[in-house]
Amino acid sequence: MFIFFIFRPCYFDVQVMVLSGILLGLEVCGLVFTQLAMSSMLLHTMGALIGGAVGLWMLKTNRVDCENWDLFSVLAGKHQMSEAELQALAEKDPAYQETKRHQEIDFRRGVLNKIRALVGVGRAQEAYEFYRQKAVALDDWQLPEPDLRNLISAFHKQALWSESIPAMAELLRNSSRDVTNVRLKLAQILVQKEHRPAQAWNVLSKVSPVAVDARQRDHYAKLKRVIERSKAENPYDFADADW
């Protein structure tokens, strides 16, 4: 501020809120003495009230960004906080958390739609790599079981046996449904395509031969015979197997 005091210039600092309060107070006092007569003081006061209401509305609806120098932020001490402190404070806000939740839902929906599109055009390997990449970014998000099964089927249609193994292992870990057919298929791939009979037995041993239907029991018996022949030919391959 700059004023003349008895022909002597003076400089001093004053907060915006203090100056605004003094000026508004002077206008209100003038209105009281003039009994609310039409005057510049009345217009100034009306402008302050209307402007304050509009400013508050713009601030609360995020139509302006005061960079934490608005009245509410200053009173809360936000103007003195670091970026990390401001971020931590914002994350506690229920509105922020709700917005974040909706953003994550929309992001996951977009990821899932892209995976489905890739599977639909036969690009199973690209779809699985994209899924694993996004799963890490989404705190180990898991592909819905029907989509994971469709992805495994797409691998098998393209004879991508080795590439299907991680997806099948994930399905076995997380599925709440009967996975006997998945275990049998994985054991078959490990024996016939990967030539890893010991690992095939580890998978097959978790299937109860008395709790399967006739077709599954026949499949189980055939795989077990193949694995037993491999064990007889190369017993050292089964040293670490749960035989």
Side-chain angles (χ1 to χ4, degrees), residues 32-46:
V32 172
F33 286 115
T34 60
Q35 298 181 347
L36 301 180
M38 179 57 67
S39 63
S40 61
M41 290 179 290
L42 177 61
L43 297 177
H44 291 163
T45 304
M46 292 175 58

Side-chain angles (χ1 to χ4, degrees), residues 10-150:
C10 296
Y11 300 88
F12 63 96
D13 294 332
V14 62
Q15 292 184 347
V16 172
M17 284 302 302
V18 174
L19 179 62
S20 301
I22 293 174
L23 294 178
L24 186 59
L26 292 174
E27 299 293 344
V28 171
C29 289
L31 284 176
V32 172
F33 286 115
T34 60
Q35 298 181 347
L36 301 180
M38 179 57 67
S39 63
S40 61
M41 290 179 290
L42 177 61
L43 297 177
H44 291 163
T45 304
M46 292 175 58
L49 295 176
I50 296 173
V54 172
L56 180 62
W57 170 75
M58 294 178 68
L59 185 65
K60 292 300 183 180
T61 55
N62 295 318
R63 284 175 168 76
V64 292
D65 181 9
C66 297
E67 299 179 348
N68 294 316
W69 284 99
D70 58 273
L71 174 62
F72 303 102
S73 297
V74 170
L75 291 177
K78 292 182 181 180
H79 63 301
Q80 296 177 333
M81 292 183 179
S82 64
E83 290 295 331
E85 291 173 330
L86 289 171
Q87 181 64 26
L89 184 63
E91 291 175 356
K92 296 179 181 179
D93 185 1
Y96 176 90
Q97 295 174 357
E98 184 67 13
T99 300
K100 188 73 172 178
R101 188 179 69 85
H102 284 293
Q103 289 175 344
E104 289 183 358
I105 291 174
D106 291 340
F107 183 69
R108 291 182 185 185
R109 186 181 295 113
V111 169
L112 185 57
N113 288 337
K114 182 173 180 179
I115 291 172
R116 289 171 176 171
L118 290 171
V119 171
V121 296
R123 295 158 63 181
Q125 181 62 19
E126 185 178 346
Y128 188 71
E129 291 175 354
F130 177 74
Y131 158 55
R132 293 311 311 161
Q133 176 188 2
K134 297 304 179 183
V136 174
L138 292 170
D139 297 328
D140 288 332
W141 168 69
Q142 295 177 356
L143 195 63
E145 185 172 327
D147 292 286
L148 186 57
R149 288 179 179 270
N150 289 337

Side-chain angles (χ1 to χ4, degrees), residues 178 180-181 184 208-219:
D178 177 41
T180 299
N181 286 328
L184 292 172
S208 174
V210 299
V212 295
D213 58 33
R215 183 186 62 80
Q216 292 172 334
R217 190 178 302 113
D218 182 59
H219 194 185

